[in-house]
Amino acid sequence: MQKTDKESKAYSIVERRGLYYPAFDIYSGVGGFYDYGPIGLRIKRNVENVWRETFIDWLGALEIDTTTIVPEKVLIASGHVATFTDPISKCKKCGTSYRVDKLLEEFYESKKDTNSLIELKKLDKKGMEKKLLEHGITCEKCKGELSQIEDFHLMFKLQIGQEKENIGYLRPETAQGIFVDFKNLYKIYSLKLPTAIAQVGKAYRNEISPRQQLVRVREFTQMETEIFFDPEDAQDAFNSLETEQFLDAKVNFAPHDEKESVFSIRELLLKKYIPNKLFAMCIYAELKMLERLGLSNKEIYVFRQLQKEELPHYSNGNVDLEIKTSYGNLEVSGIAYRTNYDLSQHSKLSGKEITVLNNGKKVTPHVVEASIGLDRLLFSIIDNSVEEGKERGWEWLKLSNDIVPYKYAVFPLQNDEDLEKKANEVLSMLKKNKISAYMAKSGSIGKRYARADEIGVPFAITCDYETLKDNSVTIRNRDNTEQIRKKISELI
Ligand code: GAP
């Protein structure tokens, strides 16, 4: 059985502080939809900005923003209309639906049967049906028999305008917007290969069994980067990067035929675990991002090379980034060599040539993609940041400074007009200097420390009667609870 929401380390803080919560709660909720509260949203935005500073600023991708409703033709071209399905089976007694590959995956995981887990990836519908029977797997709720497996389409379908035949879908990935815009952007911005285009935005999938908080939801945010290149010069990294030192960076990596261990990125290339330097750059960019998010310990993450049978329909090689959480290893990102599948398909169905001139010859660029799920990443961060805090008596979040919701909490020691005035001055000064901070006045100081710790605020400033005399404040450190005295002017 899968762990429930409450069994994750993240759950109690998430629930108590409303970092995110089921949407439409007053109507009893609808599975797979979550809203973010103010603290969760601040953390989410900061994570997004770390991604932006890595993929936009370091890698040099151009960021765009494309529509979330996509006409059918685009998704016929991409292959989603024909193939974006999951195998589904219904209980013949109570009607509960199950995603059969996940049902079998959970069964083999509970038995720690890694061979069957690998074999599972190769099974078609008939093969999976046989396994359900062989293992006597029935409905989790009422033990009823499960029906024949059918394909369930994962896209949300809609009508554009008044014409019934004008069909559209909510986009299942942000990437297609980038492929469709590529030729125009290339021309308008006089781009040269290799070139990277990225976007952050919502994606939608009608998941059969959404579960585990933000892990499998029906509406989520992706951060995707597509690097377009000519395969003949794929070994040349971006010219803007003066150094290739990044190839010496070490990563925790699980090749499809070996145990996970630490490799340099250069070794991954030499051993052909990854296809080219652009793919290598994506691995390095994700590693840099993990460092800033406090997740780069090799006990926490692994890059896993997918087997042939696991590859999506468009991919010629994939490496997933998995993060270890209360729910086991979570796939948080996929780096894929999409070849020129998408551009060729869009060219075919639109009737427009999508080629560019590179070194005097026409090419349909190939693509390496780094696709990251923001909500899953956020869940993984929270889940890995919870500290039990037995000695201080409350749970708290050891968040990286790059993503904390506020850098400072500001407290007047007591309910006193002069202290409040001083605390307000400190708060205004911090805000003026673009340092994030909030003020809390009610409750004991201990309670206010606890509330700040819980959401990962690294420093709490207390204004006391000394402050009124000499403009010094107490600063308490979230991680070791130590307190030091500092002048207000030294805070910025
Ligand atoms: N453009 C490639 C693509 O969409 P994907 O592996 O299907 O690839 C990329 O999705 C990432 O999006 C995943 O690694 C995951 O983090 C996130 N994701 C996918 N489906 C999700 C869901 N139902 N709920 C939350 N996140 C999801």
Side-chain angles (χ1 to χ4, degrees), residues 161 165 236 423:
E165 47 288 347
D236 298 332

Side-chain angles (χ1 to χ4, degrees), residues 173 205 207 215 217 220 222 224 331-332 338 369 371 373:
E173 58 173 2
R205 297 182 189 178
E207 296 286 353
V215 172
V217 283
F220 53 98
Q222 288 187 319
E224 300 203 291
E331 178 219 311
V332 163
R338 292 183 80 127
E369 169 187 76
S371 171

Side-chain angles (χ1 to χ4, degrees), residues 125-383:
K125 279 190 279 188
K126 282 273 161 271
M128 283 192 266
E129 266 167 16
K130 243 171 104 184
K131 291 289 170 196
L132 286 179
L133 280 174
E134 195 179 310
H135 302 309
I137 296 175
T138 53
C139 173
E140 282 178 354
K141 285 191 184 149
C142 73
K143 302 276 167 247
E145 198 187 328
L146 297 177
S147 70
Q148 268 197 339
I149 299 176
E150 282 171 25
D151 286 326
F152 179 76
H153 215 286
L154 292 178
M155 287 197 293
F156 288 98
K157 198 171 184 175
L158 43 88
Q159 179 182 316
I160 302 175
Q162 282 155 313
E163 310 294 331
K164 275 213 174 79
E165 47 288 347
N166 216 352
I167 292 167
Y169 296 90
L170 290 177
R171 67 182 176 193
E173 58 173 2
T174 66
Q176 293 307 322
I178 298 177
F179 299 135
V180 168
D181 287 3
F182 168 74
K183 185 71 196 281
N184 268 349
L185 289 167
Y186 200 82
K187 199 168 138 206
I188 296 167
Y189 288 88
S190 307
L191 301 175
K192 295 261 172 302
L193 296 183
T195 195
I197 303 176
Q199 77 168 316
V200 181
K202 293 276 189 178
Y204 306 83
R205 297 182 189 178
N206 201 1
E207 296 286 353
I208 297 158
S209 34
R211 57 181 61 188
Q212 297 174 325
Q213 305 171 57
L214 303 176
V215 172
R216 207 186 310 156
V217 283
R218 291 179 166 137
E219 175 174 334
F220 53 98
T221 301
Q222 288 187 319
M223 307 185 288
E224 300 203 291
T225 307
E226 313 296 325
I227 308 182
F228 298 86
F229 64 98
D230 179 346
E232 279 186 17
D233 47 45
Q235 293 310 339
D236 298 332
F238 282 156
N239 297 336
S240 59
L241 287 176
E242 282 158 19
T243 163
E244 289 197 351
Q245 269 171 5
F246 78 90
L247 291 176
D248 294 322
K250 299 266 198 293
V251 288
N252 198 33
F253 191 91
H256 70 83
D257 55 354
E258 262 183 63
K259 279 207 171 126
E260 78 179 58
S261 86
V262 174
F263 294 87
S264 73
I265 297 180
R266 193 183 302 280
E267 280 175 297
L268 302 182
L269 275 169
L270 291 173
K271 288 176 183 274
K272 300 204 181 328
Y273 292 143
I274 57 175
N276 56 46
K277 271 190 199 158
L278 299 166
F279 204 104
M281 285 171 69
C282 290
I283 295 216
Y284 181 67
E286 292 198 356
L287 180 70
K288 266 171 80 100
M289 195 183 73
L290 290 179
E291 279 167 7
R292 296 204 36 211
L293 300 174
L295 295 174
S296 59
N297 182 327
K298 71 178 178 48
E299 310 304 321
I300 297 183
Y301 82 89
V302 61
F303 285 101
R304 192 172 72 80
Q305 183 189 21
L306 264 56
Q307 311 206 38
K308 251 203 176 117
E309 294 75 19
E310 295 176 271
L311 297 180
H313 62 275
Y314 49 73
S315 176
N316 214 1
N318 253 69
V319 169
D320 280 355
L321 168 64
E322 295 182 348
I323 299 183
K324 295 167 195 181
T325 70
S326 305
Y327 297 137
N329 276 20
L330 276 190
E331 178 219 311
V332 163
S333 148
I335 303 176
Y337 179 17
R338 292 183 80 127
T339 66
N340 61 3
Y341 173 83
D342 300 274
L343 293 186
S344 301
Q345 284 293 105
H346 287 306
S347 175
K348 228 189 268 170
L349 264 88
S350 66
K352 307 265 160 47
E353 191 179 318
I354 309 184
T355 55
V356 301
L357 271 182
N358 189 50
N359 298 329
K361 68 176 176 23
K362 262 188 188 178
V363 283
T364 305
H366 282 221
V367 168
V368 163
E369 169 187 76
S371 171
I372 303 168
L374 178 51
D375 312 80
R376 259 189 214 175
L377 179 58
L378 180 111
F379 169 78
S380 310
I381 293 168
I382 307 285
D383 198 61

